[in-house]
Amino acid sequence: MTAGLLEGKTAIITGAGSGMGKAAAKVFAAQGAKVVLADLNRDAANLTAEEIGQAGEVLVVQTDVGDDESVQYLIKEAVDKYKNLDVLLNCAGVPQFFTPIEEMSISEWDKIMNVNAKSIFLTTRHLVPHMKKMRKGSIINIASIAGIRARPGLNAYCASKGAAIMLTKALALELAPYKIRVNAINPGPAETPMLGKFLPGDEEKVEEDKKKIFLDSVPLGTLIQPEDIAEAALYLASDLAKAVTGEIMNVDGGRGI
Ligand SMILES: NC(=O)c1ccc[n+]([C@@H]2O[C@H](COP(=O)([O-])OP(=O)(O)OC[C@H]3O[C@@H](n4cnc5c(N)ncnc54)[C@H](O)[C@@H]3O)[C@@H](O)[C@H]2O)c1
């Protein structure tokens, strides 16, 4: 891979304490970016920072991406420290157990919509004024293949990711005059701590179900790795993608076909 693709750039990554966000933080730092690590779980984000160590410059900000005040604080801290912010990677997300719609509680529905969809509105609304002044920026939203290809029982999750995808397209058009690019990535079933949380049951059954439900649905025959998503995000964050906006990129081993 070409080194230094993000040299001189600053990136905010939400969900940077685990899975894809953590992988992206490492890849972005290795490519020269200064990285703001935002996660609800401060210890997890601190661990990501430790793992990056001397290999990059990072700032950890504990953030609840579903809460407007918390997001406002994140952007203020990031702007105070780095002034210019080039990249926003919205990666934080929550899963949903397979739940029949009539058993879905309103509080669980609201939580999933808040963290997976409203968070994109909140982070964007606070960061865009800064990007508009710079007349450049790259916003990348981690949606899901579940946003275009449904699974039974994942009603709120699919709806939240569908919202993330359409919001990406709406913002891409709205922000294009300011040279702010907005794209999304649809990961397929990925080997992160989240995957097992879609499935109820004991651990043995979870492993069996992961294979039956998720692995067997991927034509390429392997689960997606967090690094696969990090590298797709790297492309979209970098100037290599300067002509790309409004794109919804499936990184899914063919699951979406
Ligand atoms: N794992 C998969 O199979 C899969 C597939 C498609 C899409 N996705 C999406 O990819 C993204 C990353 O998922 P992952 O698999 O790396 O999950 P993960 O569970 O490994 O990491 C998610 C991170 O988000 C953080 N988070 C949760 N709620 C938050 C909040 N309110 N504020 C701030 N941070 C919060 C968690 O603390 C965690 O560090 C999510 O948006 C997820 O929906 C995952």
Side-chain angles (χ1 to χ4, degrees), residues 11-141:
I12 296 177
I13 301 180
T14 73
S18 179
M20 299 170 195
K22 185 186 185 102
K26 290 180 171 178
V27 166
F28 281 25
Q31 291 289 324
K34 295 178 182 115
V35 190
V36 182
L37 309 174
D39 203 293
L40 190 58
N41 185 337
R42 184 196 294 273
D43 291 344
N46 280 336
L47 195 60
T48 302
E50 255 175 56
E51 288 175 24
I52 292 172
Q54 300 305 311
E57 188 178 330
V58 300
L59 170 71
V60 172
V61 185
Q62 187 176 25
T63 310
D64 178 353
V65 295
D67 179 83
D68 189 51
E69 264 182 39
S70 182
V71 170
Q72 194 170 8
Y73 178 76
L74 162 69
I75 304 300
K76 187 186 171 311
E77 289 291 290
V79 170
D80 282 355
K81 174 136 187 179
Y82 294 123
K83 309 263 178 305
N84 292 342
L85 287 155
D86 304 277
V87 180
L88 166 65
L89 174 58
N90 281 308
C91 201
V94 285
Q96 177 191 351
F97 283 132
F98 280 56
T99 313
I101 192 71
E102 68 277 20
E103 289 171 24
M104 190 65 190
S105 72
I106 289 175
S107 62
E108 190 60 11
W109 177 277
D110 286 345
K111 178 181 160 193
I112 291 167
M113 293 304 283
N114 266 351
V115 180
N116 293 357
K118 187 175 157 196
S119 60
I120 297 173
F121 158 54
L122 297 180
T123 51
T124 307
R125 93 189 261 262
H126 288 296
L127 186 56
V128 149
H130 302 282
M131 285 182 163
K132 277 187 173 175
K133 275 191 219 145
M134 292 163 52
R135 296 194 74 80
K136 62 174 180 167
S138 171
I139 298 172
I140 304 147
N141 301 320

Side-chain angles (χ1 to χ4, degrees), residues 138-143 148 164-173 180-186 232 235-236 241 243-251:
S138 171
I139 298 172
I140 304 147
N141 301 320
I142 303 300
I148 58 168
I165 288 167
M166 205 56 211
L167 181 54
T168 298
K169 292 186 189 188
L171 292 173
L173 266 189
I180 300 168
R181 300 183 293 106
V182 189
N183 294 288
I185 296 171
N186 285 342
Y235 165 70
L236 291 171
V244 180
T245 197
E247 176 63 17
I248 312 299
M249 186 191 285
N250 294 351
V251 181

